């Protein structure tokens, strides 16, 4: 399993627009083979922060989906980013 997690930094005035522009990619990702979860969401404390969380069955599934990355418009709106991939060997349910 692969987890992609972190955050993006955008101008607070542009955050809602950025998130609205992500709806299509979220829908696409959730239908993609190997996608277990995919979320891009507003941070509840920092108005310029957007949280990213993805969970995939394998690195192959991540690479098959992520052929192009963020659009030029999205990339231009990002003031910063801290996102990483994590290989997961095991998981335990907390519920």
């Amino acid at each position: 399993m692969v987890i992609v997690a972190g955050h993006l930094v955008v101008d607070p005035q542009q955050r809602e627009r950025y998130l609205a522009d992500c709806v299509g990619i979220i829908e696409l990702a959730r239908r993609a083979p190997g996608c277990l979860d995919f979320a891009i969401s507003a941070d509840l404390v920092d108005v310029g922060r957007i949280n990213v969380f993805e969970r995939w069955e394998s690195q192959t599934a991540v690479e098959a989906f992520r052929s192009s990355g963020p659009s030029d418009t999205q990339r231009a709106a990002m003031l910063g980013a801290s996102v990483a991939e994590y290989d997961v060997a095991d998981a335990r349910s907390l519920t």
Side-chain angles (χ1 to χ4, degrees):
M1 182 185 317
V2 176
I3 302 278
V4 178
H7 69 276
L8 311 174
V9 178
V10 298
D11 180 320
Q13 305 261 349
Q14 299 300 315
R15 184 173 75 172
E16 293 309 312
R17 166 81 185 223
Y18 187 95
L19 290 169
D21 289 345
C22 290
V23 171
I25 195 73
I26 294 167
E27 292 171 337
L28 204 63
R30 289 180 179 177
R31 289 191 304 266
C35 181
L36 302 171
D37 195 7
F38 195 101
I40 300 173
S41 58
D43 190 84
L44 296 177
V45 177
D46 184 341
V47 297
R49 180 176 163 139
I50 295 172
N51 296 314
V52 175
F53 180 82
E54 305 173 26
R55 192 164 53 99
W56 296 88
E57 288 179 352
S58 66
Q59 185 65 42
T60 303
V62 173
E63 290 170 3
F65 177 74
R66 200 174 313 290
S67 60
S68 61
S71 70
D72 290 340
T73 303
Q74 288 176 320
R75 197 178 313 277
M78 288 185 223
L79 302 176
S82 177
V83 180
E85 289 184 357
Y86 303 90
D87 296 312
V88 179
D90 195 17
R92 291 172 301 284
S93 176
L94 297 177
T95 56

